[in-house]
Amino acid sequence: MSLRVARPILGGMPAALHPERLPPDRWIKVLPEGLYVEPGGFHIDPVRGVERAVITHGHSDHARPGNQLVFATPGTLAIMAQRMGEAAAVVTRPLDYGETIRIGAVTVRLVPAGHVLGSAQVVMEYAGSRVVVSGDYKRRADRTCLPFEPVPCDVFVTEATFGLPVFRHPPDLGEVGKLLHSLTLFPERSHVVGVYALGKCQRVITLLRAAGYDGPIHLHGALEPLCALYERHGVALGELRPATVAAKEELKGALVLAPPAAATDRWARRLTDPVVAMASGWMRVRQRARQRGVELPLIISDHADWDELTQTLEDVAAPEVWVTHGREEALVHHATQRGIRARALALIGFEEEEA
Amino acid sequence: MNRFAALIDALVFMPSRNGKIRLLAEHFATTPDPERGWALAALTGSLSFREAKPAAIRQLVAARVDPELFALSYDYVGDLAETVALIWPERPERSNSLPPSLNEVVEALQSAKRGQVMDLVEGWLDTLDASGRFALLKLITGSLRIGVSARLAKTALAEWGTLDIADVEEVWHGLTPPYAELFAWGEGRAERPSAGHGAGFRPMMLSHPLEEEDMAALDAGSYCAEWKWDGIRVQLVARDGQRRLYSRTGDDVSGGFPDIVDHMVFDAVLDGELLVAREGVVAPFNDLQQRLNRKTVTAAMLREGPGWVRLYDILFDGDEDLRGLPFTERRARLERWFEAVQPRRMDLSPMVPFHGWEELRALREGSRENGIEGLMLKRCDSPYLGGRPKGPWFKWKRGALTLDTVLMYAQRGHGKRSSFYSDFTFGVWRGAELVPVGKAYFGFTDAELVELDRWVRNHTTRKYGPVREVSAGLVLEVAFDSVHPSTRHKSGLAMRFPRVHRIRWDKPAAEADRHETLARMVVGRDAVA
Ligand SMILES: [Zn+2]
Ligand SMILES: [Zn+2]
């Protein structure tokens, strides 16, 4: 194990005198509307409309409407267009993974984050430092998007949705196996799985297919458009059918995917004695699952678990880490123990929902 | 252990009783002996071995996990066993030792000496996955509370083997874990095991509520009456040198009531009401509540809430099974037995002589004193039959009290009601403010529930997790059996058995009842305001 030594900080020097070596906390600011990259004149995932925005991925707490100019991957732009239509942006600038451009004085490149279709980390170079903003990410295999690519850097801005060592997601196929076992145990009951519309839904479908389930999968109406979008982007999902309540008989013993709120509320209770399942990293903690009235918790997440978070800190080998978007305290503590300079970055507007 | 852990997990999340029975039955059908027998023993609280203390488990985890990370995690998760199960570091080299079977765990713990237990546990934690670790930790701390009563587990067993639940209860006390004979019987490979003696639970005889229309058909002269005391029904078993106190469902509650069990120095099986009584005066049910659901009790609790048993019936006198005798003969035997033995901390529930239903009705209405819930009617010639036979025994509860209250909070229900707001907290006016006085989750029809649910959603002013606060606009007429002073409620009062009697869609909230009105209904004490 090698302990990394932090680079010296140019404390108190006027920025203009050392444009070639300016520490990142002098050019990246936390503003009320989000992370602001001053020499580039752009925000990353701002919480309200701004002049120029780089968007990491299409989840609604990262991609919001009303920006003038949006930089994002073609996948993310397609998702934004579908969810927000005209409001997505006035002008868009698609950035392929790996393509390098300059925004203002900053060199910017997007690399895969492994979170959902189109999700990206933002790699920025300016004044002698490289800063990577992870966005949301995970490290395990996902057939619906490209895998996370670790980029060595000087400052790594990491999410910490599951930033406690109690969060360790078990292997995905085992979780899907629980669902398939329940279908054999309760063959006459509809199995309603709560999934987020973007990412989790398509991932669960591909996992079911990988586990050998080739029957039809029924979708709540709110999930259909994004499944169609994924298929247009080359992600095969097999036979999908609309889950209309009219087809109540057909839904006996069927697999039904629905948004979490519908799965645990009025929509699902119109089905016959449904088994309510939920695919989420939060399902790891029993009390949380029970609070939501979930009978079959499935620990399947699109976010890094504790082991993935700590492994990623090793992989990117950054001497400095800023932690955001979750339970920062434990990860800051862990990083500090490893000789990494770490602090919590208080960004507002992120919800734990799409986990 | 993996199978057992999967069962525990599934039971924890299964909201419905039938679903739980189905999961248990499937487990019995697909799991070999002795594994399934140990599972049954664990669920019915029939395992005994050296338990591990929470402090010892904390010590184990402190050696593996950074204390600050553990503290942050425990703070988030809230349950020690679960935190340790989730945070315990997975070892990649785990593959070369197999996780233990439940059988191995139980046998090792039963023969372990003090000082060996934690070494065993540590080794097992290293080979199990998170579910297995959770099940193990719950098992060894003796806190396997997962919403499965002994009765439910036996019902599942009866269902799986198409046996009669009363038969299962009857033979149960003659058997010991892992119950090979029981499973052989269920699979039709062996005869019904003999009932044996021992200190096991005998199925209790339960009553039906008396409906007004039943009374016309009943001959008052064929029934005996006695008070129905407001405690919990228990069975006292002192046989073959062993002493046990069982709840109505056959759960062993001896550990919580040493003050009773210590005085069971006789050889008999009795039926009675467990109460808290000070100098022969029955205390409100609330005082008994403080002592329920505890495995151990402190000296202060024994002093402040001394236990008492008021005896109703005798099932065995020594080896002699009295259950076939008529009630009046059993009662005479009980009186003779009591006279001879003079057990401490117990008395006889007095009979209530009466001539005709009208006199009895008057006696019932006059009984507002502490500790009386109503009357029991028992056919003079009824043998003691396990279960709830229709006809021989009736309970005739005292008329309910009612109060107009205002709905304050609603919470989602469980199981089939989990998508409805079905648990209601209601309050009454004190000055210009509402104070909560109770909680009710039944008393309305399914159709009314749908309307209540809609009303709650449309009148929510705040949300706290699964709870919604609503504006003061709906009057619920609540019925309850009695009201007692309580230090645990902000209002200083606690209702017994509150339920929604009527939804007063018509009544303005401002006209609901006031706190003073409820305070005047307190029994056996001066009114508190
Ligand atoms: Zn996301
Ligand atoms: Zn996010």
Side-chain angles (χ1 to χ4, degrees):
Chain A
M1 186 190 83
S2 65
L3 281 182
R4 281 167 298 276
V5 180
R7 6 170 108 210
I9 309 173
L10 302 174
M13 294 279 190
L17 293 182
H18 297 274
E20 74 283 0
R21 295 195 66 186
L22 190 62
D25 58 1
R26 299 280 296 280
W27 53 275
I28 299 180
K29 306 274 164 70
V30 177
L31 299 183
E33 62 271 18
L35 210 56
Y36 180 61
V37 184
E38 206 165 48
F42 64 89
H43 292 76
I44 299 174
D45 294 347
V47 297
R48 58 169 183 264
V50 296
E51 196 80 0
R52 286 194 272 190
V54 175
I55 304 290
T56 60
H57 67 287
H59 277 140
S60 56
D61 55 336
H62 294 260
R64 298 180 197 247
N67 295 304
Q68 294 295 308
L69 172 58
V70 168
F71 300 86
T73 62
T76 297
L77 289 173
I79 290 163
M80 289 175 72
Q82 182 161 81
R83 298 190 127 183
M84 310 169 199
E86 295 278 286
V90 176
V91 181
T92 60
R93 169 62 166 93
L95 272 178
D96 283 320
Y97 290 125
E99 179 186 349
T100 303
I101 57 159
R102 279 179 78 92
I103 307 177
V106 182
T107 305
V108 177
R109 158 166 82 97
L110 299 181
V111 305
H115 177 54
V116 297
L117 180 82
S119 67
Q121 309 172 68
V122 185
V123 181
M124 298 174 286
E125 278 162 34
Y126 176 71
S129 305
R130 181 192 288 156
V131 177
V132 174
V133 175
S134 74
D136 292 342
Y137 67 98
K138 69 172 174 292
R139 303 298 303 271
R140 60 192 66 205
D142 180 349
R143 295 169 178 222
T144 70
C145 60
L146 292 174
F148 179 95
E149 192 182 306
V151 178
C153 53
D154 300 294
V155 173
F156 185 56
V157 183
T158 182
E159 67 136 317
T161 304
F162 291 116
L164 278 176
V166 287
F167 291 110
R168 262 189 246 125
H169 312 324
D172 304 327
L173 281 177
E175 296 302 292
V176 166
K178 286 190 205 164
L179 178 59
L180 296 176
H181 175 72
S182 178
L183 272 171
T184 60
L185 189 57
F186 300 105
E188 75 294 351
R189 301 175 68 188
S190 307
H191 283 62
V192 185
V193 188
V195 290
Y196 296 102
L198 170 56
K200 189 68 61 66
C201 170
Q202 299 76 21
R203 171 125 170 274
V204 167
I205 295 173
T206 57
L207 285 169
L208 281 164
R209 299 308 186 202
Y213 185 83
D214 51 12
I217 294 172
H218 298 76
L219 297 181
H220 181 284
L223 304 179
E224 286 171 14
L226 281 166
C227 285
L229 184 147
Y230 266 63
E231 294 214 276
R232 287 199 299 278
H233 281 76
V235 180
L237 300 176
E239 190 192 345
L240 304 178
R241 290 187 195 165
T244 49
V245 177
K248 200 169 165 178
E249 276 306 304
E250 185 193 327
L251 295 181
K252 277 191 177 171
L255 256 178
V256 182
L257 302 194
T264 55
D265 202 2
R266 289 192 249 192
W267 186 81
R269 76 187 179 215
R270 292 186 292 194
L271 302 171
T272 312
D273 187 21
V275 173
V276 175
M278 179 79 72
S280 161
W282 300 114
M283 295 297 112
R284 172 91 168 162
V285 177
R286 285 174 175 76
Q287 201 44 40
R288 301 231 5 175
R290 292 182 63 173
Q291 257 168 20
R292 301 207 61 174
V294 172
E295 178 177 333
L296 183 61
L298 304 172
I299 309 164
I300 300 177
S301 177
D302 285 328
H303 288 269
D305 66 7
W306 175 259
D307 291 343
E308 294 169 54
L309 290 171
T310 55
Q311 182 60 46
T312 304
L313 296 193
E314 303 295 316
D315 292 347
V316 301
E320 184 166 345
V321 168
W322 301 348
V323 186
T324 178
H325 203 336
R327 262 141 279 281
E328 295 93 356
E329 211 178 338
L331 195 59
V332 167
H333 174 80
H334 169 87
T336 308
Q337 302 281 83
R338 309 281 296 157
I340 301 170
R341 220 151 21 127
R343 67 182 171 104
L345 209 58
L347 289 175
I348 53 164
F350 291 97
E351 293 150 13
E352 61 180 38
E353 276 300 312
E354 32 85 16
Chain B
M1 198 73 199
N2 283 342
R3 263 193 134 109
F4 178 65
L7 174 68
I8 297 300
D9 261 357
L11 288 170
V12 163
F13 293 111
M14 171 58 72
S16 83
R17 181 183 148 85
N18 280 342
K20 284 179 181 167
I21 290 175
R22 183 115 156 231
L23 289 168
L24 287 164
E26 195 228 5
H27 189 77
F28 298 144
T30 57
T31 311
D33 287 323
E35 199 84 7
R36 57 185 173 179
W38 292 124
L40 180 60
L43 291 166
T44 51
S46 317
L47 280 179
S48 61
F49 47 68
R50 204 179 282 285
E51 287 180 359
K53 296 258 179 326
I57 292 167
R58 277 167 172 274
Q59 227 168 33
L60 276 189
V61 76
R64 300 288 185 106
V65 179
D66 177 289
E68 183 153 347
L69 292 179
F70 180 78
L72 287 167
S73 299
Y74 186 27
D75 194 45
Y76 176 81
V77 176
D79 176 88
L80 181 67
E82 178 156 27
T83 311
V84 175
L86 295 178
I87 209 170
W88 194 263
E90 306 267 350
R91 306 175 109 189
E93 66 270 30
R94 177 177 112 187
S95 47
N96 49 24
S97 54
L98 286 171
S101 65
L102 178 59
N103 189 27
E104 258 175 271
V105 169
V106 171
E107 284 180 356
L109 286 174
Q110 282 177 337
S111 58
K113 297 198 174 59
R114 188 192 298 281
Q116 294 178 325
V117 173
M118 293 323 289
D119 283 346
L120 284 169
V121 171
E122 185 172 17
W124 291 328
L125 288 173
D126 278 336
T127 62
L128 290 164
D129 65 8
S131 288
R133 292 191 294 261
F134 178 75
L136 175 71
L137 291 167
K138 286 288 178 188
L139 187 72
I140 60 162
T141 51
S143 58
L144 201 67
R145 288 197 205 96
I146 50 169
V148 174
S149 67
R151 171 84 182 179
L152 185 84
K154 291 175 207 164
T155 307
L157 186 83
E159 197 140 305
W160 158 77
T162 44
L163 305 168
D164 186 338
I165 176 69
D167 284 348
V168 173
E169 293 272 23
E170 187 64 40
V171 302
W172 182 262
H173 64 273
L175 304 174
T176 49
Y179 311 113
E181 319 87 296
L182 192 58
F183 287 103
W185 174 40
E187 283 170 352
R189 293 185 282 110
E191 287 299 299
R192 178 185 136 153
S194 68
H197 297 290
F201 174 72
R202 274 76 173 175
M204 275 169 97
M205 181 158 176
L206 306 173
S207 62
H208 280 267
L210 183 69
E211 309 292 344
E212 288 291 324
E213 55 269 27
D214 292 334
M215 289 185 70
L218 297 179
D219 167 27
S222 319
Y223 282 83
C224 301
E226 62 184 316
W227 297 118
K228 178 169 169 37
W229 299 96
D230 190 12
I232 63 165
R233 265 292 279 294
V234 284
Q235 185 173 91
L236 297 81
V237 182
R239 301 297 318 273
D240 303 341
Q242 292 181 294
R243 301 177 214 159
R244 298 267 190 285
L245 196 60
Y246 294 102
S247 73
R248 207 162 53 95
T249 48
D251 292 307
D252 185 346
V253 295
S254 314
F257 295 90
D259 43 347
I260 302 296
V261 176
D262 286 353
H263 294 112
M264 287 165 53
V265 284
F266 44 72
D267 191 351
V269 178
L270 306 163
D271 184 327
E273 195 84 15
L274 179 61
L275 303 161
V276 161
R278 299 187 190 88
E279 285 140 27
V281 179
V282 179
F285 185 78
N286 206 41
D287 292 18
L288 177 61
Q289 195 103 56
Q290 313 294 324
R291 291 197 49 184
L292 297 175
N293 301 321
R294 290 183 193 262
K295 281 213 139 184
T296 54
V297 281
T298 62
M301 287 165 67
L302 291 174
R303 205 166 48 239
E304 282 154 30
W308 191 265
V309 175
R310 195 147 278 180
L311 297 169
Y312 293 131
D313 216 326
I314 183 163
L315 282 64
F316 281 77
D317 182 354
D319 275 340
E320 192 186 354
D321 187 347
L322 305 178
R323 290 176 293 177
L325 298 179
F327 174 74
T328 39
E329 279 180 47
R330 288 203 312 281
R331 174 72 197 192
R333 290 289 300 259
L334 176 66
E335 287 172 12
R336 281 213 310 275
W337 177 88
F338 188 83
E339 192 57 37
V341 176
Q342 307 246 341
R344 295 188 54 204
R345 297 258 183 172
M346 294 172 210
D347 60 9
L348 290 177
S349 175
M351 299 307 293
V352 179
F354 69 102
H355 305 281
W357 295 132
E358 284 320 303
E359 184 183 342
L360 196 60
R361 188 190 299 277
L363 285 166
R364 165 174 161 270
E365 288 313 315
S367 66
R368 285 278 171 207
E369 82 180 78
N370 240 342
I372 290 183
E373 233 192 304
L375 284 164
M376 285 298 302
L377 300 180
K378 299 180 174 175
R379 266 193 78 93
C380 305
D381 61 0
S382 56
Y384 193 97
L385 301 168
R388 204 188 290 273
K390 175 102 188 173
W393 286 14
F394 291 99
K395 57 184 164 206
W396 194 19
K397 286 207 184 179
R398 206 160 59 183
L401 302 164
T402 64
L403 194 74
D404 284 341
T405 66
V406 181
L407 178 61
M408 297 179 70
Y409 305 96
Q411 187 173 355
R412 295 224 208 183
H414 296 284
K416 136 174 156 265
R417 289 166 153 198
S418 63
S419 52
F420 291 98
Y421 286 90
S422 62
D423 294 11
F424 304 107
T425 300
F426 47 82
V428 291
W429 297 106
R430 183 159 64 189
E433 135 192 88
L434 278 173
V435 281
V437 292
K439 221 175 172 180
Y441 39 90
F442 62 94
F444 34 80
T445 64
D446 285 356
E448 283 174 327
L449 177 57
V450 172
E451 288 186 57
L452 283 167
D453 178 69
R454 185 177 314 131
W455 195 92
V456 167
R457 289 171 194 268
N458 292 338
H459 294 84
T460 300
T461 52
R462 284 177 78 174
K463 294 185 198 176
Y464 315 84
V467 178
R468 289 185 179 214
E469 184 177 337
V470 297
S471 51
L474 183 62
V475 175
L476 299 177
E477 184 182 331
V478 173
F480 50 99
D481 287 2
S482 56
V483 58
H484 304 277
S486 161
T487 49
R488 288 199 299 181
H489 297 81
K490 191 182 161 199
S491 65
L493 298 171
M495 289 177 175
R496 179 116 163 87
F497 288 136
R499 59 263 181 196
V500 174
H501 189 53
R502 266 194 301 171
I503 307 167
R504 298 291 306 267
W505 301 104
D506 55 309
K507 189 161 186 167
E511 290 173 22
D513 277 312
R514 311 194 58 79
H515 187 262
E516 303 87 88
T517 315
L518 183 61
R520 278 197 296 272
M521 296 176 174
V522 169
V523 286
R525 303 230 174 148
D526 295 334
V528 287

